[in-house]
Amino acid sequence: MISEFIASWPLFQNSYLAGWLIAVLLSLLGVFVVARDQIFAGAAVSQASLLGIAVGMYFRAFLASMGCAACESDTLLIPFGVAFGVLTALLTGRKGVVAGESHEALTGWAYLLTATAAVLLLAHSPHGLEEVERLIASTILGATRLDLGLFGVLVAVTVLVCARSRAALLLLALDSEMAAAVGIPVGRWSALFSAWLGLSIGMSIRVAGAIFTFGALVLPAMVAKSLCREVSPMLVVAPVARTASRTVSNTGRSRWRSPPRPGVTPPTSRVP
């Protein structure tokens, strides 16, 4: 399998590198999501980003009908997915946004509304089913050099902030009242984390799909939680566990992938 992985590197290097970068980025953020008991919030933000990308598709089609040939690129979808993800993360991550509603209720409403809207919107698209499969499928075969650069910046900033403000972030995640008592600006940190979470999820979904993104966000942190007695070591265990599993997946991809069946046309989207 190792030799096959090395042989496939020139063809799939962008996919491999993007998978590792997304694994590190989302697993780090997932530690704080799990520590704050906001796992379902990650699903809501992922679904909201999916809706944003669906809206971006319609906007892209409108611009293309106006004669904008450069607007056909998938890069145009990034701002929409990020914007919807950030707004949903801010809505579900702060207290008192809607009077009388708990975090769980807000998260549930956000998930249901965005999921329904995305399905209805794409159902009226000429290629609705194909778009749904492309957005939900866990694949990163369409990753580009631009994606690698963007995720590289996100990972670098996330690692730097975690290294420099680890104590404050952990206290904020575990006991926000104590964090406020010792002078940590809880509202500001929570808003920044929610915005960064929405940004990371929105960009990841466009490249890797909703299933891969949500799995990379939650599963490594849950594995680390079962192995660690404290939250601090989870910041190391979660990225290592996710990167290791991604490496195993990459090395076994060539052996496990089967060719298309006779008479079946390979899909033209990112779904392998």
Side-chain angles (χ1 to χ4, degrees):
M1 289 192 296
I2 300 299
S3 60
E4 294 174 349
F5 169 71
I6 296 175
S8 67
W9 178 263
L11 183 61
F12 297 109
Q13 57 178 318
N14 288 344
S15 300
Y16 295 153
L17 293 174
W20 284 322
L21 290 173
I22 294 175
V24 174
L25 173 65
L26 294 181
S27 60
L28 283 173
L29 297 177
V31 170
F32 298 103
V33 171
V34 171
R36 299 172 71 179
D37 292 327
Q38 294 182 342
I39 294 177
F40 192 54
V45 174
S46 300
Q47 193 63 54
S49 298
L50 193 67
L51 173 60
I53 294 176
V55 173
M57 291 176 181
Y58 269 84
F59 184 71
R60 181 182 62 182
F62 172 75
L63 293 179
S65 66
M66 300 294 291
C68 179
C71 298
E72 297 181 1
S73 173
D74 281 353
T75 305
L76 185 65
L77 304 179
I78 296 178
F80 289 91
V82 168
F84 276 69
V86 169
L87 289 175
T88 303
L90 290 173
L91 175 64
T92 59
R94 298 189 63 181
K95 296 181 179 179
V97 177
V98 179
E101 294 290 350
S102 63
H103 283 294
E104 292 78 8
L106 288 175
T107 302
W109 275 110
Y111 179 84
L112 292 174
L113 291 176
T114 54
T116 303
V119 172
L120 292 176
L121 190 62
L122 291 174
H124 292 83
S125 171
H127 306 288
L129 181 58
E130 181 182 351
E131 299 293 357
V132 169
E133 292 178 348
R134 186 173 73 88
L135 291 174
I136 294 179
S138 298
T139 177
I140 52 177
L141 295 181
T144 64
R145 289 288 183 180
L146 176 61
D147 296 324
L148 296 182
L150 292 174
F151 284 115
V153 172
L154 290 176
V155 170
V157 173
T158 302
V159 171
L160 179 62
V161 172
C162 288
R164 297 190 60 179
S165 306
R166 181 180 60 178
L169 290 172
L170 292 177
L171 183 59
L172 179 65
L174 297 174
D175 193 341
S176 59
E177 295 181 356
M178 177 62 71
V182 298
I184 298 175
V186 175
R188 184 186 307 171
W189 274 105
S190 297
L192 288 174
F193 175 78
S194 297
W196 196 253
L197 178 65
L199 172 65
S200 302
I201 289 178
M203 294 187 61
S204 299
I205 281 184
R206 188 194 65 84
V207 175
I211 298 177
F212 182 98
T213 298
F214 183 63
L217 178 71
V218 173
L219 294 181
M222 295 180 66
V223 171
K225 183 178 180 180
S226 65
L227 297 176
C228 303
R229 296 184 177 181
E230 299 180 356
V231 178
S232 183
M234 291 171 59
L235 293 172
V236 177
V237 175
V240 170
R242 185 65 186 97
T243 304
S245 65
R246 187 62 198 170
T247 302
V248 172
S249 175
N250 288 340
T251 54
R253 181 183 298 272
S254 299
R255 180 178 295 273
W256 296 331
R257 184 187 291 118
S258 58
R261 291 172 296 176
V264 176
T265 303
T268 56
S269 65
R270 290 180 181 172
V271 182

